[in-house]
Amino acid sequence: MKHQVVMERQSPEEIKAYQEELLRRQLVYLRAHSPYYKQLFEDYAIDIETIRTLADLRRIPTTRKDDIQAHNDDFFCVEREKIIDYCTTSGTLGRPVTFGLTNDDLERLAYNEMRSFRTIGVEPGDVVQLMTTMDRRFMAGLAYFLGLRKLGAGVLRVGSGIPQLQWDVILQHKPRFLIAVPSFLLKMIEYAEQQNIDYRNAGIEAVLCIGESLRDAALNDSLLTQRIREKWPLKLYSTYASTEMGAAFTECGAFQGGHVHEDLIITEVLDEEEQPVPDGDPGELVITTLGVQGVPLLRFKTGDIVRKHTAPCACGRHTYRIGPVEGRKQQMVKYKGTTLYPPAMHDLLVGFPEIEQHIIEISHNDIGTDEIVIYISTKETAEEFLMQIKDHFRAKLRVAPRVEKRPSEELQRIIFNPLSRKPITFIDRR
């Protein structure tokens, strides 16, 4: 890890050779310490000594989330007394599972985020406002704190929500950077305008954005990004991570996908038959963690649909990038012959400033097909407005969902459920 700055500027061939050496070490570790993978190697007669290259990985079966749910304890590779921190997945898809991190895993997590923050320009001595939770066994908030601490930056641990509190802290402590869910920035802007806060001159230079995509599949700014930047011309950097990865893909100033941390993770982008898709084509992200002690994963299917970008990056790093999550495999909607994912629908709704809150609900109807209902809160009273939303969906996504108005307070209670670590804007009742 200490040679990292040099490593990411090496040739793709040298980086690949480096990853393959780390992979061989990880396989030896799994065979010795993982009850689940030791059994997998035996069941499929896999001699790990023959797995020498990244291409050889395809001879090993993939792991799914339901495998971990069914055999959670068997994925632990150390005694419980060596586990320093327990995290759970956020439960976006299915029942949450528990991950345990050793002291070295926490150090690895800190190193990962330190690199991410350096990528977006955070320097020792900078002040960064953390606008996401650190509690409820949420890995992301802890990772950000550890990374900033390792980098030597100051952290304002404000937590999620409450625009008034966020602005009070910003105006008092003058952070250069924020860590936030991008749609919440619109709430921050709305509050600032109502309170006559000169937000454009508050000292914020950039935001590390989590939970929602900033770019579309072609890596152009999403409607959400455009709306934020029209009001508040910040640098908005996307970061994509998950508890299972223990690593992040973070954009550099070229904004052309998140750079892989090649000493922490190996990725594959696969089609329905688990074959690699051409670079730049959409497929499911499959990850193999490197250097994890507590709960390492081998060829884990994330369920996230992404694209891999290998064209040279203007920043000079030779690591490939992973594009935004275009959807989750299990949340794919089949609607009257059209396939679509919730992020595309969310992005269209963000294009209507009149919409204060929205929730997308998917259910099966009586004839066995998917039904889409969009609940919105808005001060717009004209019925034509609902038709305008339907027409926009029809033009852009070739679907016409049902659109219904609801009181803002009703939607707010669902979206910001205190039992959820993330805003709930998509409900799948299928």
Side-chain angles (χ1 to χ4, degrees):
M1 291 184 189
K2 62 185 177 182
H3 302 301
Q4 188 47 53
V5 176
V6 176
M7 215 35 241
E8 63 189 11
R9 308 280 175 173
Q10 297 296 312
S11 70
E13 292 74 26
E14 288 170 307
I15 292 172
K16 178 174 176 288
Y18 176 51
Q19 281 196 310
E20 289 173 342
E21 173 56 34
L22 295 176
L23 170 63
R24 289 191 284 270
R25 287 187 220 163
Q26 189 73 43
L27 288 170
V28 170
Y29 181 82
L30 288 169
R31 182 177 60 187
H33 299 286
S34 172
Y36 181 84
Y37 286 111
K38 183 178 180 182
Q39 189 63 52
L40 183 84
F41 296 153
E42 290 176 6
D43 290 346
Y44 287 87
I46 295 168
D47 178 4
I48 63 166
E49 302 302 329
T50 66
I51 309 296
R52 311 297 294 171
T53 68
L54 301 187
D56 292 338
L57 261 179
R58 294 202 286 275
R59 305 212 307 268
I60 299 174
T62 55
T63 299
R64 301 168 186 270
K65 188 164 185 176
D66 50 13
D67 295 323
I68 309 177
Q69 288 168 333
H71 309 282
N72 205 165
D73 288 350
D74 288 343
F75 281 85
F76 278 72
C77 292
V78 297
E79 301 83 4
R80 292 294 170 131
E81 55 265 28
K82 290 189 177 179
I83 299 296
I84 303 298
D85 188 79
Y86 289 87
C87 291
T88 60
T89 58
S90 59
T92 305
L93 298 175
R95 184 165 50 88
V97 297
T98 298
F99 284 76
L101 289 84
T102 67
N103 197 57
D104 284 349
D105 289 339
L106 288 174
E107 179 61 29
R108 175 184 177 279
L109 200 60
Y111 161 77
N112 163 77
E113 288 302 338
M114 179 185 70
R115 280 184 64 189
S116 288
F117 286 120
R118 279 180 175 164
T119 300
I120 73 167
V122 181
E123 298 175 353
D126 279 336
V127 178
V128 182
Q129 188 153 322
L130 178 57
M131 296 163 60
T132 184
T133 185
M134 279 186 66
D135 59 8
R136 302 181 200 162
R137 296 192 291 166
F138 193 33
M139 182 185 278
L142 175 66
Y144 300 138
F145 174 77
L146 293 174
L148 290 167
R149 178 173 178 266
K150 188 173 182 66
L151 180 57
V155 190
L156 297 165
R157 293 182 292 108
V158 182
S160 58
I162 319 175
Q164 179 181 350
L165 176 58
Q166 303 291 353
W167 277 118
D168 287 348
V169 175
I170 289 170
L171 296 174
Q172 181 181 357
H173 295 288
K174 302 290 190 293
R176 279 184 66 206
F177 295 85
L178 307 177
I179 304 168
V181 175
S183 58
F184 184 68
L185 295 176
L186 292 174
K187 300 290 179 196
M188 293 282 289
I189 293 168
E190 181 183 20
Y191 180 85
E193 290 177 340
Q194 290 169 351
Q195 301 299 317
N196 295 316
I197 295 171
D198 186 9
Y199 58 91
R200 283 169 169 256
N201 294 303
I204 306 298
E205 296 178 19
V207 186
L208 186 71
C209 292
I210 66 168
E212 296 167 340
S213 295
L214 294 175
R215 322 286 167 218
D216 61 18
L219 300 178
N220 298 313
D221 285 354
S222 68
L223 288 173
L224 174 59
T225 304
Q226 291 170 34
R227 271 194 66 193
I228 295 167
R229 285 182 45 77
E230 280 165 9
K231 292 270 193 177
W232 199 1
L234 300 165
K235 291 181 179 176
L236 301 178
Y237 295 92
S238 181
T239 187
Y240 159 54
S242 71
T243 304
E244 294 90 348
M245 291 188 228
F249 302 90
T250 303
E251 288 182 323
C252 66
F255 305 110
Q256 292 294 295
H259 283 273
V260 67
H261 294 172
E262 66 289 336
D263 53 342
L264 302 182
I265 195 166
I266 292 169
T267 68
E268 305 167 72
V269 182
L270 306 182
D271 63 17
E272 292 285 337
E273 282 72 47
E274 297 192 352
Q275 295 302 308
V277 301
D279 291 346
D281 283 6
E284 182 177 7
L285 181 69
V286 176
I287 59 103
T288 295
T289 55
L290 299 171
V292 172
Q293 293 180 344
V295 186
L297 295 176
L298 181 60
R299 301 201 77 210
F300 174 74
K301 301 185 79 170
T302 65
D304 291 340
I305 307 300
V306 301
R307 299 172 197 248
K308 182 176 179 178
H309 300 277
T310 55
C313 186
C315 73
R317 293 176 180 85
H318 292 154
T319 46
Y320 61 82
R321 284 100 54 218
I322 295 293
V325 176
E326 297 172 33
R328 291 182 181 271
K329 199 171 176 185
Q330 284 177 246
Q331 290 181 345
M332 183 176 74
V333 180
K334 287 279 193 181
Y335 187 75
K336 297 180 180 176
T338 298
T339 298
L340 66 157
Y341 292 97
M345 293 187 273
H346 289 308
D347 200 39
L348 280 192
L349 291 166
V350 168
F352 289 92
E354 302 91 338
I355 298 177
E356 299 168 342
Q357 315 267 14
H358 74 264
I359 294 174
I360 298 167
E361 183 177 285
I362 311 290
S363 59
H364 272 314
N365 59 25
D366 295 339
I367 57 173
T369 59
D370 291 342
E371 190 77 25
I372 304 172
V373 183
I374 296 172
Y375 300 104
I376 65 167
S377 63
T378 178
K379 292 186 175 68
E380 181 64 55
T381 56
E383 283 300 313
E384 290 79 17
F385 180 61
L386 302 185
M387 188 55 66
Q388 189 182 342
I389 295 171
K390 289 186 72 165
D391 288 345
H392 193 59
F393 265 77
R394 196 180 284 115
K396 297 292 186 181
L397 296 179
R398 302 193 305 280
V399 301
R402 196 163 88 241
V403 183
E404 296 184 9
K405 284 202 285 190
R406 288 285 188 272
S408 180
E409 303 75 31
E410 179 185 324
L411 296 189
Q412 198 139 347
R413 281 196 299 272
I414 299 170
I415 295 169
F416 299 107
N417 186 328
L419 298 178
S420 175
R421 299 185 307 205
K422 297 179 180 178
I424 298 170
T425 55
F426 177 75
I427 299 172
D428 194 341
R429 300 198 182 282
R430 292 172 296 178

